[in-house]
Amino acid sequence: MAQSGESPGESGPFAAFSAVPLRLRIARTYSPPPMSASADRSSSLFYSRRHLLGIEGLTAQEIDGLIDLSDSYVEQNRRADKKDSLLHGRTVINLFFETSTRTRTSFELAAKRLGADVVNMSVATSAIKKGETLLDTAATLNAMRPDVIVVRHPDSGAVNLLSQKVDCAVINGGDGSHEHPTQALLDALTIRRRRGSLAGLLVAICGDIRHSRVARSNIHLLTTMGAHVRVIAPPTLLAPGIDRMGVEVFTDMRKGLKGCDIVMMLRLQTERMQGSYVPSIREYFHFFGLDYEKLANAKPDALIMHPGPMNRGVEIDSEVADDIDRSLIREQVEMGVAVRMACLDVLTRSLRPNAGAA
């Protein structure tokens, strides 16, 4: 079903774009099978891929399986003794070409809690700064025989390229504006633990859609699992062809939030911007920053999410971000460790004894 796009009702720097209607499409629906509260870790293998490079192309069964398994690790992480020996003797390398606090630390904790040896490579002090190419780096690391490499890279497609040159499993920790699969999985786990299911939910993703790998991965996951997705941004921050991804497109935040169950905010990714995409930070917050006045357009019990790091007073108001009843931002961080434990688990099952039964 197609609808006409929405446009800002107020005058301002974005008003000139409001006359151009955007074609909208509603995401297809999917009715998932009943899901258990936690996964049986010895159940038949639901994920047979060698790597985790993106959400696009994953089946609903694979996504469900990863979320179920992640759910079981949430409970493990809340115990006094959080460690086990599942990955004892295995080596995980975190290769981050971009700065990161949450994702790198989360992967490190996940690997250590599973008993793995973890090596964090600092690109700033590596041979890469001396002119070594990505493929040379891949060959060097491959010769060291790691079991898993987690890669974050500023260029879209770089992680996929590296995965073709190594013998071990590769996890995409975020590549350019392409994908960030574990972020989408942890967001889905966070939502499911609060709402019970993703199917039928109306989720608004708001902010810098154009440069966001988080937005792309979440759109792929949510539409596959039967949620309806809206993207809300000024026209300058809408990705080309976004309307072909099965989402509704809004350039008026108040209209876009109407009736939403989940509001997912994104930061302005100024490090990926070449030129000016917004008139000013003040104007951007006025039209697209989440405050209680705009949030009132969503459902009364709508939940608030943000992948971090937050820019308070830019894309989200501090009071909204810290709302203990509606903000899931801290919970997302907790779910991140569990999701990454699950991903390390499934990608190393072929290395463990009795792998066929795992």
Side-chain angles (χ1 to χ4, degrees), residues 165-178:
K165 306 298 179 181
V166 297
D167 299 323
C168 64
V170 173
I171 300 176
N172 185 356
D175 63 327
S177 300
H178 177 227

Side-chain angles (χ1 to χ4, degrees), residues 13-206:
F14 300 107
F17 300 101
S18 64
V20 182
L22 298 167
R23 300 296 297 172
L24 310 176
R25 292 195 290 116
I26 300 295
R28 64 187 183 279
T29 58
Y30 161 76
S31 298
M35 295 177 289
S36 60
S38 62
D40 180 357
R41 295 179 190 169
S42 64
S43 62
S44 60
L45 188 61
F46 57 86
Y47 190 93
S48 58
R49 301 170 191 257
R50 183 181 171 196
H51 310 296
L52 178 62
L53 302 178
I55 297 297
E56 184 177 15
L58 296 188
T59 66
Q61 181 183 13
E62 288 172 319
I63 293 170
D64 259 339
L66 286 168
I67 296 174
D68 282 343
L69 183 58
S70 301
D71 208 359
S72 71
Y73 279 116
V74 174
E75 305 313 315
Q76 175 176 324
N77 288 335
R78 290 178 175 177
R79 299 197 309 249
D81 183 6
K82 301 174 178 63
K83 295 190 69 172
D84 64 33
S85 58
L86 189 69
L87 297 187
H88 177 72
R90 304 300 175 187
T91 303
V92 176
I93 295 179
N94 287 326
L95 178 61
F96 278 55
F97 292 81
E98 291 182 319
T99 57
S100 169
T101 300
R102 290 160 185 77
T103 304
R104 189 193 62 77
T105 304
S106 183
F107 269 112
E108 182 177 0
L109 272 175
K112 287 182 174 179
R113 286 180 182 176
L114 292 174
D117 298 316
V118 183
V119 177
N120 293 315
M121 283 193 61
S122 173
V123 171
T125 57
S126 73
I128 296 163
K129 285 294 183 181
K130 301 175 184 177
E132 184 174 79
T133 68
L134 177 64
L135 295 184
D136 286 337
T137 299
T140 300
L141 295 179
N142 194 53
M144 297 177 185
R145 300 188 178 277
D147 299 290
V148 182
I149 302 178
V150 181
V151 187
R152 169 168 287 188
H153 200 280
D155 296 328
S156 299
V159 179
N160 181 44
L161 177 63
L162 186 143
S163 73
Q164 299 171 28
K165 306 298 179 181
V166 297
D167 299 323
C168 64
V170 173
I171 300 176
N172 185 356
D175 63 327
S177 300
H178 177 227
E179 280 223 43
H180 193 348
T182 57
Q183 181 67 48
L185 288 167
L186 74 89
D187 289 342
L189 175 61
T190 304
I191 294 170
R192 205 184 76 173
R193 286 175 67 89
R194 284 297 190 101
R195 289 290 188 251
S197 173
L198 299 173
L201 293 178
L202 183 54
V203 181
I205 304 177
C206 317

Side-chain angles (χ1 to χ4, degrees), residues 201-219:
L201 293 178
L202 183 54
V203 181
I205 304 177
C206 317
D208 187 358
I209 306 296
R210 186 184 189 94
H211 302 99
S212 177
R213 55 194 173 210
V214 172
R216 283 168 178 77
S217 288
N218 266 301
I219 289 169

